[in-house]
Amino acid sequence: MKIGFFDSGIGGLTVLHEAYHLLPGEEYIFYGDTDHVPYGLKSNDEIKEYAAGIMDFLVNKGADAVVIACNTASSVAAQMLRENYDLPIIAMEPAVKPALETDERILVTATPVTLREEKLKNLIKREGGEGRTDLLPLPGLVEFAEKEDFESDELKDYLKRALSQYDTSVYSAVVLGCTHFNYFKDSFKEFFGPGMHLADGAEGTVKRVAQLLKIETDKGRQKLVINDISDLSEKLHTQYYLSGREAVDEETLGHFMRLHNRLEEMRNVS
Ligand code: DGL
C-alpha cells in the first residue's frame, strides 16, 4: 500500500519514523511543505488551501491513504479534507488522553493554532482534563527544528524563557502536541527531569493507520540506523518531496537521513 504523509515541514518525519518501525512493508510518500512552514502562525483559510493542494498532489502520485502528520493541519483541515477526498485520511490530535492517565496536572505544548482551536478544547473536556490542564504555545521550536538546531544554547534559552512562567514541579506529564517537538525530547527531559512523562501522538497515529487500513504491525525492526541515503528509497521505500519538488540531491536526502537518525535516538527518551 502507498501511504502519503504530510506536514508543514520536517515534523511529519516523526510520524513516518514510527511507521518505519511498525509498518516496514509499505511504500511511503512524504511531503513537507517547507515553502509555507510554519503553519502554526497562519490563518485557517491559508492552512486549508495548502492542505488541499497537498492532497491533490498525493492523490496524483497514487497514494492509497493519507496521514496528516501535523497537529495544526489536522485541527483546521481534517474535516474539510474528508468531505472532499474519497480515500482514508488519518488525522492527529495531541496525546492528551495518555497524559491525563498520570496523577497530576498536565502541560499541553503545541502551535498557537492548535491551542486556539475548539478541537483541542473539546478533547480536553471529553477526557476530563478541565481544571488540570495548562496550555503553552512553543512556535519557536518549529523554527529550531527546521534549522536542524536541537542542542544550541539559544534553543535551551528559548525553552527556559517559555517555561519560566510556569511552576514546572506541578506537572506529571507534558504533551508534545506538535510533530516538530519530538526532536527535542532530550531537552524536555533535561528541563523537567527524568521522571516526567512525555506524551506524543506518533505511535498512536501509526497504530490507527494500521487498524484502519488493516495492515499487520511488525515488531521486527528493533533499531533503525540509516547509514546511506540510498536506504531511504531502497530499504524504506520512500519518496520525499519538499513543497512538490522531489528530493533527490545528496544534501537534502542527507538531511532526512540525519533527522531519522536523531528520531531513532529520541525513541529511547520517553
Ligand atoms: N508540525 C506541525 C504540527 O504538528 C506544525 C508546525 C508548524 O508549521 O507550525 O502542528
Side-chain angles (χ1 to χ4, degrees), residues 7-8 37-40 70-72 111 142 178-180:
D7 178 47
S8 60
V37 68
Y39 281 6
C70 172
N71 291 271
T72 308
T111 66
V142 176
C178 167
T179 52
H180 280 78

Side-chain angles (χ1 to χ4, degrees), residues 10 13-14 17 20 144-151 182-184 223-232 236 240 242 249-267:
I10 59 161
L13 292 185
T14 63
H17 194 81
Y20 287 165
F144 282 109
E146 291 292 326
K147 285 190 291 189
E148 206 177 339
D149 177 352
F150 305 122
E151 277 163 6
N182 282 17
Y183 290 103
F184 302 98
K223 184 142 182 67
L224 174 61
V225 179
I226 308 171
N227 294 309
D228 193 300
I229 54 172
S230 63
D231 290 354
L232 295 170
L236 300 164
Y240 289 89
L242 294 177
D249 60 294
E250 253 180 58
E251 195 186 324
T252 315
L253 293 175
H255 179 53
F256 286 133
M257 181 174 86
R258 287 194 303 278
L259 293 172
H260 279 295
N261 288 338
R262 165 134 193 119
L263 291 169
E264 188 62 23
E265 282 175 37
M266 293 303 105
R267 281 188 106 227

Side-chain angles (χ1 to χ4, degrees), residues 43-196:
S43 71
N44 287 15
D45 283 348
E46 283 172 304
I47 297 167
K48 282 183 187 166
E49 190 189 319
Y50 302 147
I54 296 170
M55 280 300 291
D56 289 340
F57 184 92
L58 293 173
V59 168
N60 271 329
K61 290 285 173 201
D64 300 303
V66 170
V67 179
I68 311 176
C70 172
N71 291 271
T72 308
S74 294
S75 344
V76 171
Q79 194 185 335
M80 177 276 289
L81 295 179
R82 289 198 176 112
E83 282 162 10
N84 288 291
Y85 295 86
D86 192 19
L87 77 171
I89 294 175
I90 297 92
M92 297 193 74
E93 64 183 18
V96 166
K97 191 173 178 210
L100 283 169
E101 281 161 15
T102 61
D103 298 336
E104 292 160 45
R105 290 188 76 76
I106 69 162
L107 182 66
V108 179
T109 65
T111 66
V113 169
T114 302
L115 295 181
R116 78 166 181 237
E117 284 298 300
E118 274 312 294
K119 211 169 166 218
L120 178 66
K121 299 196 175 91
N122 292 338
L123 172 68
I124 293 170
K125 203 187 273 179
R126 202 170 60 237
E127 298 301 337
E130 275 182 314
R132 261 185 71 196
T133 304
D134 296 318
L135 307 179
L136 173 66
L138 289 173
L141 284 190
V142 176
E143 277 177 52
F144 282 109
E146 291 292 326
K147 285 190 291 189
E148 206 177 339
D149 177 352
F150 305 122
E151 277 163 6
S152 69
D153 290 345
E154 215 185 332
L155 155 76
K156 308 261 172 181
D157 285 349
Y158 170 77
L159 266 182
K160 206 187 276 175
R161 261 199 319 278
L163 289 161
S164 62
Q165 40 180 323
Y166 296 86
D167 172 4
T168 50
S169 69
V170 302
Y171 300 112
S172 51
V174 176
V175 176
L176 307 180
C178 167
T179 52
H180 280 78
F181 296 177
N182 282 17
Y183 290 103
F184 302 98
K185 282 184 174 178
D186 52 354
S187 294
F188 277 98
K189 277 279 178 177
E190 200 181 301
F191 201 89
F192 285 96
M196 178 61 68

